[in-house]
Structures are given as C-alpha cells and as structure tokens.
Amino acid sequence: MSEEINSEVARNSEENRVHIKCGFVALVGRPSVGKSTLLNKMCGEKVAIVSKVPQTTRNAIRGIVNREQGQLIFVDTPGRHNSQKKFNKKLMEVSLRAVEECDIVLYVLDACRAPGDEEEETASLLVPLAEKTLAAVNKMDAPGADYKRTEEFISKNFPAFASSSAGGRILAVSANTGQGVEELLCALFDMAPEGDSLYGGEYYTDQETGFRIAEIIREQAINRLRQELPHSLYVDIADMEFKEKETKLWVRAFIVVERESQKGMVVGKGGEMIKTIRLAALKELKLIFDWKIDLDLRVKTGKDWRHNDHTLRKIIDR
Ligand SMILES: Nc1nc2c(ncn2[C@@H]2O[C@H](COP(=O)(O)OP(=O)(O)OP(=O)(O)O)[C@@H](O)[C@H]2O)c(=O)[nH]1
Ligand SMILES: [Mg+2]
C-alpha cells in the first residue's frame, strides 16, 4: 500500500515539476536584417553593436535571457554574405559554427527587402535544419514592410512549417518597437530543450570587458566614417588598468586602419573626428558600466590586416 502511495506521490510531483529549459539559439540571416538589434531587444540590454553598415557583427556574440521558464543563450552571428575574400570567409565560418552548435536557429529576415539570391542561399543552408528553425520577419514597423512577400518566401522554402506541429514557426517582429518580441521569446522557450541554466541569473552576456569596450568604440567609429572605412578598421585594446581608489578603468585603445592614408580620415581635421568618436564611445560605455572609464584613443596602421591570418584569428576567432 505504502509503495502505491509513494509511486502516486512520485507521479504527481513529476507532473507538477516545472520543466526548466535551457537552450542555445543562433541568430542567422543576411547582413543588416536586424539580428543584433533584435538580440539587444530580447536581452533588454545593449549586448551587440548596431549600424546601418552591412557586416557590422564579426563575432559570435552571446546574450543571455533569464526567465521563469529557464534560460536562453543567444549567439549573434555575422550576416551571411557570399564573397571569396579571406575576411568574409572567416565571418561565414563563425556563422556556420554557431548554426551547427545551437539547439535552435532563429532565422531573421527583413520585411522591407525582397528576397533575392542571397536570401535563397541562406534559406537553403537552413532547410536541412527546419526541425530546429524558427523564422522572424523583422522591421515590421518600417513603412516598406511586406510581411506577405516574406512569409510566402519562407513557406515555399520550408514546407515543413505548414504542418500543424510546426505551425507558428513564422513570427512578425520589430526589433525597434518590440512588437512580437514577447511572442517570439515564448515560442523559443517552447522549442528549447530541458536543462539547468548555464549562467547565473545576473548575467546578460558573457563578453569580456575589453571586448565590449572595443566593440562600442568600433560602433561609434563606423557610424561616423564613410566609404570603405567601416570595413577597414578594428579596435585594439592595448592596455587596461583598474584603479581601485578612483573606481576607474583606464583604457588605451587603437583604431587600426589598413592603410596610412586612412589615418587622417579617422583623426579628422584638427583631431575633430577621433575626439567625437571618443566622446560618443564614453557616453555609450557610461550606460553599460558602473565605473568611470578613462579612454586614451589613438589611430594606427595595421597594413592590410584583413589579409593577415594572425590578425584575423585574433579579432574573429575569439
Ligand atoms: N525600422 C527598423 N529598423 C531596424 C529594425 N531592426 C534593425 N533595424 C536597423 O537595421 C540596421 C541594421 O541593424 P543590425 O542590428 O546592425 O543588423 P544585423 O543583422 O545585426 O547586421 P550585421 O551584423 O551586419 O549582419 C540598423 O540601422 C538598425 O537600426 C527594426 O525592427 N525596424
Ligand atoms: Mg549584427
């Protein structure tokens, strides 16, 4: 009798158990569809930098969302773009690795752009992974948004989404306004596997301080520079020291350009440009970190760094 009661108790407690989820979600899509903006919206914090310039993201950036249901670990990736250039191939390796390693693929599309060849290629890469894929049609707030066109494209490429069990795998969102983002998070938690959280509840990213500072400087630089410059630069943190007494972090960073001739454009007339970048970066960093930051920002040349395996490994394979 007592055995029966025990097994009944065990069954009830199993039924009542809250199934805690924990899953890795890779954000995949073409450049500039809004993957990083969406990541920031979902995390409620600025985790990844954003710009109008395609191929802003260069690394697998992790953002963490903690909810009652459990934990989602997002991996933002560089936009998928075809090119045989060494630099671009390296970015695509980052994206591919994230797709292979994740539990869920969040395929982000831009409602304002007609799907062309590049979108077809991105979709064909993800079709074999349809089981673990969810599509988000972003920029629904924009005047040119055409949900129907994008939805038709997804349905054509992912016939599996039409089956009832996979219903609701296409969501309309706006990373800018937050429209549909809550529904998206619920759908992702539904798909996530059960498991214990990997990070403590206070974490929203696992990025190191130096990397975050370098990224914010890069964001402020690429949002102000033109032509080939946004793609021609990276930020190197040369030195960092925390001054306990003043609760201040001292940082020396370099904006590294490919050619000597580009240095002048980053410095600007009378040093105006680098000064603006520095002040704008400090303003952003103030929103992220509790302590003060003392930033010594300079420019230097790393000749043809985009063709240098050593540098690419240093800044992309992190
Ligand atoms: N109107 C509108 N613009 C958006 C939305 N989401 C992103 N954007 C804009 O689209 C541009 C690109 O955004 P990102 O988040 O950097 O795009 P990404 O997909 O991460 O780009 P890469 O890192 O280059 O692959 C930026 O100018 C954003 O402000 C949205 O929901 N609505
Ligand atoms: Mg990005």
Side-chain angles (χ1 to χ4, degrees):
M1 183 66 184
S2 76
E3 252 177 46
E4 259 173 48
I5 293 171
N6 280 347
S7 68
E8 180 65 17
V9 170
R11 208 178 58 230
N12 280 344
S13 72
E14 173 56 24
E15 276 166 10
N16 294 334
R17 193 168 78 87
V18 186
H19 294 279
I20 294 291
K21 302 283 192 89
C22 182
F24 279 87
V25 185
L27 283 129
V28 182
R30 292 158 70 196
S32 282
V33 294
K35 299 177 292 298
S36 301
T37 312
L38 188 56
L39 174 72
N40 292 341
K41 197 68 175 181
M42 290 188 291
C43 293
E45 298 284 348
K46 180 157 178 166
V47 176
I49 64 165
V50 166
S51 90
K52 284 201 174 72
V53 182
Q55 294 196 300
T56 296
T57 305
R58 291 175 176 169
N59 309 80
I61 305 233
R62 283 189 192 179
I64 302 157
V65 171
N66 294 298
R67 289 284 170 94
E68 244 179 37
Q69 301 101 302
Q71 185 168 77
L72 293 175
I73 303 150
F74 289 94
V75 186
D76 190 12
T77 66
R80 298 205 59 84
H81 167 64
N82 279 330
S83 146
Q84 285 312 307
K85 287 188 182 145
K86 189 180 264 194
F87 178 70
N88 193 72
K89 279 163 94 176
K90 199 91 192 150
L91 294 185
M92 290 311 91
E93 279 173 28
V94 175
S95 161
L96 209 56
R97 212 177 308 139
V99 168
E100 280 164 5
E101 291 171 0
C102 69
D103 300 303
I104 304 168
V105 175
L106 177 53
Y107 175 24
V108 187
L109 298 96
D110 183 340
C112 301
R113 259 197 283 171
D117 291 348
E118 208 165 69
E119 197 66 79
E120 293 274 358
E121 272 187 47
T122 307
S124 67
L125 174 92
L126 302 180
V127 165
L129 308 168
E131 281 271 302
K132 65 169 188 178
T133 300
L134 195 125
V137 181
N138 189 33
K139 305 199 187 179
M140 289 302 294
D141 63 292
D146 187 341
Y147 177 75
K148 204 159 177 296
R149 173 181 64 189
T150 318
E151 197 241 19
E152 276 169 10
F153 170 83
I154 302 167
S155 301
K156 187 189 89 197
N157 281 279
F158 295 82
F161 283 9
S163 81
S164 58
S165 64
R169 291 275 192 90
I170 309 174
L171 285 99
V173 300
S174 163
N176 267 10
T177 66
Q179 176 202 332
V181 170
E182 215 27 64
E183 291 81 352
L184 175 61
L185 282 169
C186 287
L188 290 168
F189 270 114
D190 278 346
M191 284 173 80
E194 282 177 29
D196 292 330
S197 299
L198 292 176
Y199 294 91
E202 70 280 18
Y203 285 97
Y204 62 85
T205 184
D206 69 344
Q207 299 169 83
E208 293 157 18
T209 302
F211 177 72
R212 294 189 79 187
I213 295 174
E215 284 288 89
I216 293 290
I217 298 170
R218 188 164 69 87
E219 176 183 54
Q220 297 310 317
I222 62 183
N223 278 316
R224 284 170 180 79
L225 298 166
R226 282 169 218 297
Q227 290 156 11
E228 84 289 1
L229 266 167
H231 295 119
S232 294
L233 63 85
Y234 74 92
V235 175
D236 182 37
I237 304 290
D239 219 343
M240 233 172 28
E241 191 188 331
F242 193 70
K243 313 226 166 156
E244 295 276 354
K245 255 202 209 143
E246 305 152 81
T247 51
K248 191 190 244 181
L249 183 72
W250 175 83
V251 182
R252 172 169 296 146
F254 287 94
I255 294 179
V256 188
V257 290
E258 284 185 299
R259 292 187 300 279
E260 206 53 36
S261 60
Q262 295 171 325
K263 266 168 74 176
M265 288 185 265
V266 179
V267 172
K269 217 170 161 191
E272 261 318 297
M273 181 56 87
I274 187 127
K275 193 172 151 198
T276 309
I277 294 169
R278 180 180 166 274
L279 290 176
L282 282 172
K283 201 168 157 198
E284 279 294 314
L285 291 166
K286 214 171 159 185
L287 302 174
I288 298 178
F289 298 109
D290 291 336
W291 10 270
K292 280 184 235 129
I293 294 181
D294 200 348
L295 177 61
D296 174 0
L297 186 61
R298 303 172 187 206
V299 187
K300 71 176 181 188
T301 309
K303 201 169 174 312
D304 291 331
W305 65 264
R306 273 192 291 180
H307 304 282
N308 182 314
D309 286 322
H310 175 73
T311 313
L312 289 183
R313 267 201 303 277
K314 187 170 105 183
I315 65 167
I316 297 175
D317 295 339
R318 295 176 39 86

